[in-house]
Amino acid sequence: MRTFRPGRRGEPWAALCAAALALALALALALTALPGPRAHAAPGAGAHATPGAAASTGGVPDRPAPGPDPDPTLPVHALAAADAPLDNPLKGFARFYQPGSDQNTGFPHSLTWSYFGLSEVMKDASDCGRLDWSALDASLDAIAAAGNQAAVRFYLEYPGDAGAHPSNAIPACFAGHVDNRDNAYWHTTSPDYDSPYLRDALKDFIAAFGARYDGDPRLGFVHMGLIGLWGEWHTWPYDTDTSGDTYPDYMPTDAHAAEIVDAYDRAFTRTKIELRYPDSAGGAADDRPSVGYHDDSFCYREGSPAQGVTLPESMGGAPWAQLQKAVEHGVENRWTTASMGGEVRPEIQPTAFAHWPGGSGDVDDMKACVELEHTTWKMNEDSADYPATDPGAAAAVRLVGYDLGVTQAYFHDTAQGTTKVGVRIANTGVAPFYYPWKVRLGLKNASGDLGGVARGGYRLVMKADNPLEKVSPRAKKLRFANAGQNGDGWLDLGAMTVGPGGSAGPASHEAEAPGNTLTGGAVVTGCGGCSGGAKVGYVGKGATLTFRHVDGGSGGTRTVTVHYATRESRTATVRVGGGTPRTLTFAPTADWDTTATLAVRLDLRAGEDNTVTLAGPDGWAPDIDRITVS
């Protein structure tokens, strides 16, 4: 049954009103701004987020231009700071996806990493253009169901145990068109990466990959794999360094590898993409500000004497170290526009943060690695064994990526009609927040629910919406480093009284409001044409939606209007409290994103102690956007 489609992509920051009182957000939160004590301030109701600083080819990047100061007529409310949670989305540690396992054990995290062999998608032996995405979709769905976002990479050759995935992932449709070579060191089959047939097939695959998944809320980061061992863009010892060894070079030419970089950069304009090395494909990403980097040997020291493989030579790093190559290619400030992912080197994962902020033995200066690379996230499977109270790991995770706290809120303590609200946000992490998530304002009543506004006292709250929340009810919420931050994602900005000018219009109750009760298979889903951008679908056949704390005003018979979407005529029952259900018939709407209304007269008690339940005992009910009471 079709009940929703993916949410619209690329929507700018906007102030959304969660109540009948008009709340104008005086700051459009530019979370793409650089870290610093005053990194985020952009007053002006309805403004868009300012883009990140332009990529620099060396030296210190320009900071984004600050927005104007807040309206001086607005009273200032200082907010208390607190530690941000360790599983904020799109940053920190990533664990490996294990089908059927609990993804949220071990040290708190919000990212899940997974490899996929190209042959798992390119399955038709006679046609490389026919793609079956079921393996990827199944994993993304399972990862999202756990509340996490995925980081993924495709490969063609995988040394060692690939688990449920194939070690040799060269598609059968390459047979007879692409020559294969034997990697005797790793016991893998390495295809001819310079083959025109292979290059065309890979570029077509990347285009289809981006067309299907670019901007998908389940997907946080995409690594440019496909080339080399594990898709890591190297075939060592069969690489370009052929002096002094007997191994030929199995890597593609820089020009041919650059075609793959270009294909990914064209295919993914919303989801963040990362390339293994700054010098991959001869530095093909040097002038591509949307391409980040992916350090798979993060903060490791190797050799005798030991040299770091992340930090530059000036800090004891090897000539081939990640940041040394970044400096040589002038991309050391790429973090201002693109994410920095990778993996804590597996050999050091058990002890990587035991000596925080420094290191010991084969662990390099960990804090310097994080700060100089401006790390966004790292694979760290051994973090499963870290206690949640590990102070070094916790300090590192809070420094990695963004760490946003609201320092001041600006608003009148009493509001009527319309009012203006501003906030000032500081980022004390080492990197920006890279995605344009939307911010909402709302008013919570004494019961803690978001709802329509009558005169009285409320708590003014603010929330940055994780798009994954439209897909999974367990989606990790972006939470600010403030004492007033609630687990539901809403940040308490302070008390606000709605005065005599408050709205006397119908009280509105959103179907997706956190205080409602969903049973059976009923779920919150995205809806571009719905109030708040969401609705509740799959109501019926035993699944129900109950609106709680429905405002009955002074009580008596009231008009309850159901806002719904359905492409076919459907029936549902509506019941107040434990009363007798009434059957309603809903006419079709244009599509699953276009809403219509159906009004019904119901007896409500005075005040907000009412429940309204919608069900479909004999079939599917329509998708429900909200109800209003007048």
Side-chain angles (χ1 to χ4, degrees):
M1 182 186 78
R2 172 77 167 147
T3 60
F4 68 98
R5 64 167 176 81
R8 291 175 293 180
R9 298 168 178 169
E11 295 171 301
W13 287 92
L16 301 186
C17 179
L21 175 71
L23 297 172
L25 184 63
L27 294 182
L29 303 184
L31 298 190
T32 50
L34 306 184
R38 287 190 58 189
H40 304 92
H48 291 180
T50 55
S56 172
T57 56
V60 179
D62 293 334
R63 295 184 64 84
D69 289 332
D71 186 334
T73 67
L74 296 175
V76 181
H77 301 74
L79 271 67
D83 285 338
L86 297 171
D87 59 349
N88 250 333
L90 299 175
K91 61 167 286 180
F93 297 147
R95 293 277 305 284
F96 281 73
Y97 174 59
Q98 302 291 343
S101 66
D102 184 351
Q103 296 180 45
N104 291 312
T105 59
F107 196 80
H109 58 282
S110 65
L111 285 167
T112 302
W113 167 263
S114 188
Y115 293 95
F116 296 91
L118 181 60
S119 62
E120 295 180 84
V121 174
M122 200 177 285
K123 298 167 70 172
D124 192 319
S126 61
D127 186 355
C128 288
R130 295 189 63 182
L131 305 175
D132 180 350
W133 299 101
S134 56
L136 177 56
D137 273 326
S139 297
L140 293 180
D141 285 343
I143 291 167
N148 298 329
Q149 267 127 341
V152 303
R153 174 198 292 162
F154 278 89
Y155 65 88
L156 287 169
E157 46 183 321
Y158 192 109
D161 182 8
H165 304 283
S167 294
N168 184 341
I170 300 172
C173 61
F174 284 13
H177 302 283
V178 180
D179 292 335
N180 293 323
R181 294 82 55 90
D182 178 47
N183 185 320
Y185 188 94
W186 292 103
H187 307 292
T188 65
T189 299
S190 183
D192 177 7
Y193 291 106
D194 287 314
S195 161
Y197 188 91
L198 176 143
R199 299 195 329 264
D200 287 344
L202 295 190
K203 288 183 286 186
D204 288 346
F205 164 78
I206 294 165
F209 185 17
R212 183 178 176 93
Y213 293 100
D214 186 29
D216 191 313
R218 300 172 297 173
L219 197 55
F221 305 97
V222 171
H223 181 274
M224 290 188 200
L226 296 173
I227 293 178
L229 305 169
W230 301 283
E232 290 182 2
W233 286 64
H234 72 83
T235 49
W236 185 90
Y238 293 83
D239 55 15
T240 55
D241 180 16
T242 57
S243 60
D245 65 32
T246 61
Y247 300 105
D249 180 10
Y250 283 178
M251 285 293 288
T253 67
D254 286 345
H256 291 161
E259 295 176 12
I260 305 303
V261 175
D262 180 70
Y264 270 110
D265 195 26
R266 290 174 182 273
F268 288 91
T269 61
R270 300 175 182 89
T271 301
K272 290 298 175 181
I273 52 175
E274 297 170 354
L275 179 63
R276 174 61 181 93
Y277 303 100
D279 61 345
S280 291
D286 288 357
D287 298 320
R288 297 177 182 272
S290 61
V291 177
Y293 297 105
H294 190 97
D295 183 356
D296 273 338
S297 293
F298 184 71
C299 220
Y300 184 60
R301 286 167 56 84
E302 64 183 7
S304 180
Q307 294 177 295
V309 296
T310 291
L311 295 176
E313 288 186 87
S314 61
M315 299 184 69
W320 57 86
Q322 186 84 358
L323 289 176
Q324 180 62 35
K325 293 300 182 183
V327 170
E328 291 171 2
H329 282 264
V331 294
E332 66 270 28
N333 292 312
R334 179 56 55 81
W335 62 273
T336 63
T337 57
S339 59
M340 298 291 139
E343 181 176 24
V344 177
R345 179 77 170 234
E347 294 95 319
I348 65 172
Q349 287 180 10
T351 59
F353 304 95
H355 300 279
W356 178 269
S360 178
D362 53 1
V363 180
D364 211 342
D365 185 332
M366 184 58 71
K367 190 165 188 273
C369 289
V370 169
E371 289 183 329
L372 287 182
E373 186 190 70
H374 295 270
T375 303
T376 310
W377 67 279
K378 294 293 178 215
M379 289 178 272
N380 187 352
E381 183 62 17
D382 280 358
S383 67
D385 297 324
Y386 296 176
T389 55
D390 185 313
V397 165
R398 291 194 173 99
L399 186 61
V400 162
Y402 65 92
D403 193 49
L404 304 175
V406 177
T407 56
Q408 292 95 21
Y410 305 83
F411 59 88
H412 293 291
D413 297 332
T414 299
Q416 56 186 33
T418 62
T419 193
K420 185 183 292 185
V421 176
V423 292
R424 188 184 296 280
I425 299 178
N427 182 6
T428 58
V430 299
F433 185 86
Y434 293 103
Y435 284 98
W437 288 4
K438 294 201 296 187
V439 168
R440 289 189 288 156
L441 291 174
L443 295 172
K444 280 191 174 182
N445 59 27
S447 300
D449 297 317
L450 291 162
V453 176
R455 299 175 188 180
Y458 296 87
R459 304 299 299 183
L460 177 64
V461 291
M462 182 182 80
K463 182 177 183 291
D465 287 332
N466 182 347
L468 190 65
E469 294 176 62
K470 295 181 179 180
V471 176
S472 169
R474 298 184 64 189
K476 304 287 171 65
K477 311 295 192 297
L478 189 154
R479 287 145 292 170
F480 294 93
N482 289 100
Q485 178 64 62
N486 298 307
D488 62 1
W490 289 96
L491 171 64
D492 191 316
L493 300 178
M496 176 179 280
T497 299
V498 176
S503 170
S508 179
H509 302 269
E510 294 289 337
E512 71 272 17
N516 293 341
T517 300
L518 281 64
T519 68
V523 294
V524 175
T525 68
C527 173
C530 294
S531 172
K535 62 184 177 181
V536 171
Y538 293 100
V539 175
K541 295 190 177 180
T544 64
L545 163 65
T546 298
F547 291 85
R548 297 195 171 276
H549 306 294
V550 175
D551 187 0
S554 58
T557 303
R558 308 295 298 276
T559 298
V560 176
T561 301
V562 182
H563 299 248
Y564 70 94
T566 176
R567 287 196 64 179
E568 60 192 25
S569 178
R570 291 187 175 179
T571 60
T573 60
V574 61
R575 172 169 53 92
V576 176
T580 303
R582 293 178 56 183
T583 300
L584 306 175
T585 300
F586 296 81
T589 56
D591 52 46
W592 292 103
D593 279 349
T594 300
T595 62
T597 60
L598 178 66
V600 59
R601 299 282 285 172
L602 299 175
D603 293 327
L604 301 178
R605 293 194 297 266
E608 298 181 348
D609 189 24
N610 290 284
T611 63
V612 175
T613 299
L614 288 153
D618 299 320
W620 292 115
D623 294 351
I624 307 301
D625 174 18
R626 61 187 173 119
I627 61 172
T628 55
V629 181
S630 56

